[in-house]
Amino acid sequence: MNAAVVGTGYVGLVTGVCLAERGNQVVCVDNNPEVVRRLSAGEITIYEPGLEDLYQRNLKKGRVRFSEDLSEAVLAAQVVFLCLPTPPGGDGAADLRYILSVADEIGTILSRSPAAGYKVIVDKSTVPVGTSEKVDAAIRKHVDSTFEFDVVSNPEFLREGFAVEDFLRPERVVIGTGSERAASLLSDLYEPFIPEGSSVIVMDEKSAEVTKYAANSFLAMKISFMNDLANFCDAVGADVEKIREGIGTDSRIGRAYLSPGLGYGGSCLPKDVRALLKSAQDAGAPLTILQSVEEINLEQRRRFYRNVEAHFRGRMEGLRVAVWGLAFKPNTDDVRDAPVFFLLDELLEAKASVCVFDPEATRHVRARYGDRIDYAESSYGALQGADALVVVTEWNEFRKPDFGLMKNLMRQPVIFDGRNIYDPARMREWGFLYHSIGRKSHEAQAAAAP
Ligand SMILES: NC(=O)c1ccc[n+]([C@@H]2O[C@H](COP(=O)([O-])OP(=O)(O)OC[C@H]3O[C@@H](n4cnc5c(N)ncnc54)[C@H](O)[C@@H]3O)[C@@H](O)[C@H]2O)c1
């Protein structure tokens, strides 16, 4: 099929490249000329494991192209995917400016080419319930009533870090439409992607829109539940990691998203929880549980930093703090809404000096902090003369470090582990003062800090 993808960021680029990989002819449109220039020149713009190879192959074969020209891409396509940003507005509601302005442009384009043929406009962005109708109206107001098109809600469930795998072999594809013609066309398009045991679930537009928010909010709820529970464990001397194992093995609960830590971040969970909260309030059916999910998440960062401060008895000025990990999770360079920012701001406010290391995300953090912090070339480089190490992102390369070398490099052997990646008993053996989350019962030595 001929497809257009509008918005060539994390979702759009993965969508475009993966559709091309399955033999479709794809034009990816972006209004950022730099994105189009780089991608056309063979320079990938995001870090996503496995994407570079697919992108290079399909670019060379001419199956995917990059353009600023929306009109050319829309007119050539049977299916137009909207992969545009939906950032939170001031009141938490998703800002639909990008989606609706592109819908309006598409309407204008189609009105000039009445013979363009049937089009399916697919909303892949995460949007509040009722957006399909708005997109439909924004296009319809331009075109003749005989012009044939459908607007479909097809939320994307890919996970950054596993995006290629998720797109090429999805657990499910949700198609929200009342149109059999659109459902059948999209089912055909997705057919080569659906592994055995997975399904295409067709539903109405509104249910599809809510499905995406429900999925992300449920995942956020699991994380906040575990963080709340971790604090309870600290209070009663239980080990949250044992409990995680104990409940994660229950198939009704599942293992995923049960890790206590610094809380969720990224471009999706925080904004989607807020947007669903707002939609529910507006509908007069508040989802009160999500209020707590969000509050716990924000409090978790504050509590973690209070522990750092408490360890040093509030005397942070002049301390050297090493930070391992900046990305909101491993295997991505995405730092949007990453928990690390709260920590960096607090450390700088307290006049500590900070040296950070991340395998992929440093350039984004450098753009924000400039020379207010130091940037190491390696994880060990960040530890030179450090009074403490804070582990923020659980990249694999941080999991089994050379603890002897770490101790030699650091001025004080103090670790605050925001992801529970080390074993408290081993840390004690190595002589570290080790703080983690929900495992206070194992951190006796840390309690005897200076
Ligand atoms: N990132 C994820 O993991 C993920 C997963 C599932 C769903 N989503 C949802 O998908 C949507 C896109 O997310 P993303 O992370 O890909 O965003 P992104 O910011 O990485 O990409 C958006 C792209 O759209 C481009 N753009 C903006 N306005 C445009 C316009 N008028 N015309 C053409 N291009 C335009 C931007 O330049 C940018 O390249 C959001 O609604 C998000 O919530 C994201």
Side-chain angles (χ1 to χ4, degrees):
M1 269 182 218
N2 286 329
V5 174
V6 189
T8 314
Y10 285 86
V11 171
L13 185 59
V14 171
T15 301
V17 166
C18 290
L19 286 172
E21 176 67 12
R22 290 285 182 266
N24 299 290
Q25 202 61 42
V26 185
V27 180
C28 291
V29 179
D30 206 284
N31 67 349
N32 181 339
E34 187 57 12
V35 167
V36 172
R37 185 194 64 73
R38 287 176 58 192
L39 286 168
S40 302
E43 194 187 326
I44 197 157
T45 42
I46 58 169
Y47 171 73
E48 184 59 47
L51 185 61
E52 169 104 49
D53 283 354
L54 291 195
Y55 154 72
Q56 295 293 359
R57 183 163 63 234
N58 286 285
L59 185 68
K60 279 195 192 93
K61 293 208 161 162
R63 286 196 296 238
V64 64
R65 284 198 300 115
F66 301 91
S67 167
E68 285 178 70
D69 188 343
L70 181 66
S71 176
E72 172 219 21
V74 166
L75 291 176
Q78 292 148 284
V79 187
V80 180
F81 288 92
L82 306 183
C83 303
L84 293 156
T86 48
D91 58 359
D95 182 350
L96 290 180
R97 199 174 349 158
Y98 302 88
I99 301 276
L100 294 180
S101 73
V102 168
D104 196 67
E105 268 186 79
I106 291 176
T108 307
I109 292 164
L110 297 180
S111 71
R112 290 197 213 109
S113 300
Y118 176 64
K119 306 276 173 203
V120 181
I121 314 301
V122 183
D123 191 355
K124 244 192 185 319
S125 296
T126 304
V127 291
V129 61
T131 301
S132 284
E133 282 170 7
K134 291 182 182 165
V135 170
D136 188 277
I139 299 173
R140 205 164 291 283
K141 73 172 189 253
H142 293 282
V143 296
D144 191 82
S145 59
T146 56
F147 191 91
E148 291 186 307
F149 73 96
D150 283 303
V151 175
V152 174
S153 167
N154 168 222
E156 180 51 58
F157 299 100
L158 63 78
R159 299 161 298 166
E160 284 178 21
F162 302 91
V164 171
E165 172 69 16
D166 286 347
F167 200 97
L168 291 178
R169 278 170 284 279
E171 285 182 334
R172 84 297 208 187
V173 169
V174 168
I175 297 177
T177 178
S179 154
E180 275 182 32
R181 187 177 182 186
S184 146
L185 193 128
L186 276 186
S187 299
D188 282 353
L189 183 68
Y190 276 116
E191 207 230 10
F193 294 90
I194 305 294
E196 212 176 289
S198 297
S199 44
V200 173
I201 308 167
V202 180
M203 56 180 80
D204 60 279
E205 295 87 340
K206 285 185 175 171
S207 303
E209 288 161 346
V210 176
T211 299
K212 173 64 191 178
Y213 281 111
N216 273 359
S217 298
F218 192 84
L219 297 174
M221 186 179 73
K222 286 180 91 175
I223 293 172
S224 279
F225 175 77
M226 289 308 285
N227 283 334
D228 224 11
L229 195 75
N231 297 319
F232 172 67
C233 288
D234 279 343
V236 299
D239 177 350
V240 74
E241 289 299 330
K242 292 289 168 214
I243 295 158
R244 179 165 76 92
E245 236 180 291
I247 64 173
T249 40
D250 183 330
S251 61
R252 294 170 304 173
I253 295 172
R255 289 176 189 278
Y257 286 76
L258 287 188
S259 295
L262 276 164
Y264 57 80
S267 66
C268 292
L269 262 49
K271 85 169 168 61
D272 293 351
V273 167
R274 260 174 252 149
L276 183 55
L277 259 167
K278 179 70 171 71
S279 291
Q281 264 159 15
D282 290 350
L287 280 158
T288 43
I289 194 167
L290 292 184
Q291 196 72 54
S292 304
V293 167
E294 194 183 19
E295 274 162 22
I296 292 165
N297 196 54
L298 296 176
E299 177 57 14
Q300 192 67 7
R301 297 168 194 187
R302 295 187 210 116
R303 187 189 305 267
F304 185 83
Y305 182 71
R306 283 201 300 272
N307 281 342
V308 178
E309 260 187 345
H311 175 89
F312 292 106
R313 308 231 156 87
R315 290 190 288 269
M316 302 297 295
E317 189 166 346
L319 289 180
R320 178 77 166 165
V321 179
V323 173
W324 279 5
L326 301 167
F328 83 94
K329 67 173 183 178
N331 300 316
T332 179
D333 61 352
D334 197 344
V335 296
R336 290 178 284 184
D337 235 326
V340 77
F341 292 127
F342 175 79
L343 189 77
L344 292 178
D345 290 344
E346 290 295 310
L347 288 169
L348 291 178
E349 173 78 24
K351 299 195 166 55
S353 90
V354 181
C355 187
V356 302
F357 172 73
D358 187 282
E360 296 294 340
T362 306
R363 68 197 159 99
H364 297 303
V365 171
R366 199 192 291 271
R368 181 157 164 171
Y369 287 89
D371 59 9
R372 290 191 291 147
I373 59 178
D374 298 321
Y375 307 88
E377 294 292 321
S378 70
S379 52
Y380 296 112
L383 296 178
Q384 193 72 51
D387 294 290
L389 163 66
V390 183
V391 179
V392 174
T393 315
E394 65 279 32
W395 285 93
N396 264 344
E397 69 172 87
F398 303 153
R399 286 183 182 274
K400 289 207 181 321
D402 180 339
F403 290 114
L405 176 60
M406 287 170 69
K407 263 193 92 177
N408 284 340
L409 289 168
M410 294 176 75
R411 191 156 56 190
Q412 301 190 52
V414 182
I415 298 179
F416 297 91
D417 181 353
R419 298 295 170 187
N420 282 4
I421 59 176
Y422 305 130
D423 173 8
R426 287 209 62 212
M427 291 295 96
R428 232 184 353 258
E429 280 163 30
W430 275 105
F432 281 100
L433 298 172
Y434 178 67
H435 303 261
S436 58
I437 290 169
R439 299 187 294 178
K440 274 246 176 321
S441 50
H442 301 301
E443 294 170 13
Q445 194 168 346

